[in-house]
Amino acid sequence: MNSEIVYLNGQFLPADQARISVFDRGFLFADSVYEVIPYYQGIGFRLQQHLDRLAYSLRAVRIQAEADWVGILDELVQRNGGGNLSVYLQISRGSAGYRTHTYDDSMQPTLFACTSPIRDIYEDGAEQVKGYNVIVTADLRWRRCDIKSTGLLPNILVLQQAREAGADEALLVRDGLLSEGTSSNLFLVRQGVIYTPKRSSEILGGTTRELILELAAEAGIPYQEVDLQPEELDHADEVWVSSSTRGVMPVLSIDGVPVADGLKGPLWQRMFALFTRFQHRLMTGEA
């Protein structure tokens, strides 16, 4: 693991020397927000978009925290050897020195970041992508999923349910509509058109989701942001999920039933090529 050096409240230090208060509200209440940002060859992937979403989450939960995030994260990546790393950044409301549900603006936020290695999907190539098997289950999360909060217990329980069923991810259903995965956004393809759930407070606006839609628009691939019912999965030509560290992944089966012919679809192949071309341009300074 490339996590020997972490960032904590203005200091870069070995992970085993990092300490926070037992009364930190992130620890006690999940009163904190986070981002996960991939770095490829030491370059942040959609870094500004991630930081914009972080700012949105901070405003939404009324945590006041400002820092030179770009400088901090770039230095953290370099101190951990550069290359291909996932950066985890978390800001909690801080500690009152005792356990209390109430808070005030005098609390000093806790700023923490660490890294872990990730694979470079550009180097892997489409033939190395195995694809996902998923299940469909109830969305147990709170109604403000647009806030990237560390309160992830429902996500954890549902993902464990998927793993125990031999699946890689779970697609979530709330009020009769598909929302997203436990840590991914959802796409369906029918007759050459990409469909994805509408942005709302009940899904997280994924930075990779937005990139996929941008790439589709540039390539002339039609897409629609719509309400999607679970039954529509049965008639999809292709199903994908996306996330920052996994890119765009084809779903091969749902609840044990193959999606179409159970193979990686042609539109996914095209989107994967567009996505990895963008990634390569970023790493070479062309993007």
Side-chain angles (χ1 to χ4, degrees):
M1 295 289 288
N2 282 30
S3 59
E4 294 87 356
I5 302 299
V6 302
Y7 174 85
L8 180 63
N9 294 334
Q11 292 184 295
F12 295 93
L13 68 168
D16 61 3
Q17 295 180 21
R19 301 286 186 273
I20 66 167
S21 168
V22 294
F23 296 113
D24 190 281
R25 293 176 64 88
F27 171 68
L28 292 177
F29 303 123
D31 188 359
S32 49
V33 299
Y34 75 102
E35 280 292 328
V36 178
I37 307 167
Y39 273 67
Y40 295 107
Q41 296 184 12
I43 299 173
F45 189 75
R46 305 285 276 184
L47 177 57
Q48 190 56 55
Q49 287 83 352
H50 281 280
L51 295 179
D52 289 345
R53 186 172 62 183
L54 175 68
Y56 172 85
S57 295
L58 288 169
R59 288 194 303 271
V61 299
R62 298 174 60 185
I63 293 177
Q64 298 180 17
E66 295 184 5
D68 176 15
W69 303 120
V70 174
I72 290 168
L73 300 185
D74 284 352
E75 182 171 350
L76 180 64
V77 166
Q78 293 308 311
R79 284 175 178 254
N80 282 295
N84 302 325
L85 296 173
S86 172
V87 174
Y88 177 83
L89 171 61
Q90 176 176 310
I91 298 103
S92 85
R93 199 177 304 276
S95 169
Y98 55 94
R99 186 181 183 277
T100 173
H101 282 216
T102 60
Y103 67 87
D104 60 60
D105 292 338
S106 67
M107 291 181 185
Q108 189 67 31
T110 300
L111 281 53
F112 170 73
C114 62
T115 67
S116 58
I118 54 173
R119 296 181 65 178
D120 181 351
I121 60 171
Y122 172 75
E123 292 183 351
D124 284 349
E127 65 278 0
Q128 299 299 318
V129 177
K130 295 181 179 179
Y132 271 18
N133 302 306
V134 306
I135 64 171
V136 178
T137 191
D139 192 341
L140 305 176
R141 304 170 303 166
W142 72 322
R143 293 281 181 174
R144 289 302 309 273
C145 297
D146 57 319
I147 299 170
K148 201 166 175 68
S149 159
T150 59
L152 297 175
L153 183 58
N155 308 59
I156 291 167
L157 295 176
V158 170
L159 182 59
Q160 185 64 24
Q161 177 188 345
R163 294 293 172 84
E164 291 174 357
D168 305 288
E169 174 63 297
L171 303 180
L172 307 177
V173 178
R174 175 179 285 166
D175 299 332
L177 297 175
L178 290 161
S179 55
E180 55 190 343
T182 64
S183 60
S184 61
N185 288 118
L186 169 65
F187 301 85
L188 273 67
V189 176
R190 287 196 306 267
Q191 297 181 340
V193 179
I194 300 171
Y195 297 89
T196 190
K198 296 176 183 176
R199 284 282 300 269
S200 74
S201 63
E202 297 187 3
I203 73 168
L204 182 68
T207 58
T208 301
R209 173 190 184 273
E210 299 307 312
L211 175 58
I212 288 170
L213 297 183
E214 290 174 21
L215 294 173
E218 291 173 4
I221 302 171
Y223 70 85
Q224 295 183 27
E225 298 178 76
V226 297
D227 290 333
L228 291 172
Q229 298 179 338
E231 297 77 20
E232 296 181 67
L233 293 168
D234 300 334
H235 310 292
D237 300 322
E238 301 179 33
V239 177
W240 315 335
V241 293
S242 70
S243 75
S244 291
T245 55
R246 291 169 290 180
V248 54
M249 296 289 293
V251 173
L252 306 184
S253 73
I254 300 172
D255 289 329
V257 178
V259 175
D261 58 7
L263 302 175
K264 291 174 278 191
L267 194 55
W268 174 82
Q269 300 272 0
R270 185 179 177 193
M271 181 54 68
F272 183 86
L274 293 170
F275 187 92
T276 53
R277 188 178 306 142
F278 178 92
Q279 181 184 6
H280 179 63
R281 290 173 55 224
L282 176 72
M283 292 187 301
T284 57
E286 299 174 28

